[in-house]
Amino acid sequence: MLPSWEPLWPYRAVLAVDARDFGTLDSKGMQRVNADIPPLLAQALSASNVSAHWERRVFGQHTGDGYVAGMDPEVLPALVGHFPDALRQALGRRRAENPHLKPLQLRVSIHVGPLPQSGLGVPMVHTHRLLDDKTVRTVLERGHPEITNTAVIISQRVYEDVFDSGCVNDDVLPAHFHRHLVRVKKFEQPAYLHLPGFDWGLADPDIFEPSTTAGDKEEPGAGAHVPPAPAGPGSVNFHQYGEQSTQAYNLYGKRGQR
């Protein structure tokens, strides 16, 4: 009798973004940012020549102050090589066209791994752990909001796949990415930080490393969250946790795969 086994889920390139200082906005401001993020992503991805892949995205969902979606992993060279600067430019145009609005700054994380159509799985959790990295937050806090509007962090798996393949554009170099150990809750993995247009050789990258304080320590028993039972047929609940409490709640269902 042959052994039984389950096929591995398809590999997905996972793209997640989060808006800085979303909680300081009033209700109308939150609604505006929530509505602006998908078009900004579409503009940047179109400029990166991956519009067709973006149209076929899976488990695309708002996260309140951001957005997350999965795409074919073959787009990773574009996401790493072209997308960051294209997003920076799109955010710059938004600021120029809406000078009355508070400048929008976005944190971006890029990861890859096997995920089902629902999007629920370890790679999704790790994508959000990267997004919640303190160093990425610190970069945007210290940067001028009208100049530094985009901070990108990619997982080591993405970094290795893109640069070892040689498929990334020649204008983008490994030196554009600063290796950094991410520690969020029980998650601890190396990743790579990228600021579009920034030369890490011109500054000591250690200035972006936030110091650890007593308040940063985890509460006893803190660890991976076990999601509750699905809300209904074809749906999966996913909670994204920040440093203090739940940041976002997503309902992944069959209708949300665009």
Side-chain angles (χ1 to χ4, degrees):
M1 183 176 178
L2 293 175
S4 61
W5 53 274
E6 294 185 22
L8 188 67
W9 294 315
Y11 268 61
R12 320 275 189 186
V14 187
L15 172 66
V17 301
D18 235 11
R20 177 178 175 255
D21 280 348
F22 186 79
T24 65
L25 301 172
D26 59 22
S27 295
K28 284 188 175 293
M30 290 180 178
Q31 293 170 16
R32 176 63 186 264
V33 168
N34 184 273
D36 283 355
I37 287 178
L40 286 166
L41 292 177
Q43 291 173 34
L45 291 164
S46 176
S48 304
N49 195 27
V50 292
S51 289
H53 293 274
W54 183 242
E55 289 299 317
R56 297 194 301 271
R57 64 189 180 275
V58 293
F59 51 79
Q61 292 287 330
H62 284 280
T63 59
D65 55 355
Y67 196 85
V68 62
M71 289 184 285
D72 298 329
E74 63 193 70
V75 305
L76 283 173
L79 293 184
V80 170
H82 298 275
F83 174 73
D85 192 60
L87 181 60
R88 180 188 64 81
Q89 294 182 42
L91 288 167
R93 288 192 297 270
R94 178 187 185 271
R95 176 189 57 78
E97 294 167 1
N98 301 277
H100 61 288
L101 296 178
K102 181 179 180 179
L104 179 59
Q105 295 173 286
L106 293 178
R107 304 194 314 277
V108 181
S109 65
I110 303 171
H111 189 33
V112 65
L115 282 170
Q117 285 287 103
S118 67
L120 183 62
V122 171
M124 176 64 77
V125 174
H126 287 182
T127 301
H128 285 285
R129 293 291 183 259
L130 293 172
L131 197 62
D132 206 33
D133 176 49
K134 293 175 186 176
T135 298
V136 180
R137 292 177 178 274
T138 299
V139 165
L140 289 188
E141 288 170 2
R142 295 186 179 183
H144 192 296
E146 295 185 7
I147 300 174
T148 305
N149 58 31
T150 304
V152 181
I153 189 165
I154 67 175
S155 67
Q156 179 164 287
R157 184 185 299 181
V158 169
Y159 178 90
E160 292 174 349
D161 286 352
V162 167
F163 288 106
D164 287 352
S165 71
C167 294
V168 71
N169 187 291
D170 290 338
D171 292 337
V172 180
L173 306 172
H176 285 123
F177 294 79
H178 167 56
R179 191 176 189 274
H180 161 65
L181 185 62
V182 177
R183 295 186 179 97
V184 180
K185 295 184 180 294
K186 298 296 185 182
F187 177 86
E188 183 172 325
Q189 289 188 14
Y192 290 81
L193 180 63
H194 175 54
L195 304 177
F198 183 77
D199 182 354
W200 290 102
L202 297 178
D204 181 357
D206 289 342
I207 66 175
F208 297 116
E209 300 291 343
S211 60
T212 302
T213 64
D216 295 332
K217 295 180 180 178
E218 295 183 30
E219 296 179 3
H225 173 67
V226 179
S235 301
V236 177
N237 296 322
F238 177 75
H239 289 253
Q240 176 189 346
Y241 281 77
E243 295 180 17
Q244 302 298 330
S245 59
T246 302
Q247 284 188 329
Y249 170 87
N250 299 327
L251 178 64
Y252 293 117
K254 292 182 179 179
R255 293 184 301 171
Q257 298 172 0
R258 271 298 303 275

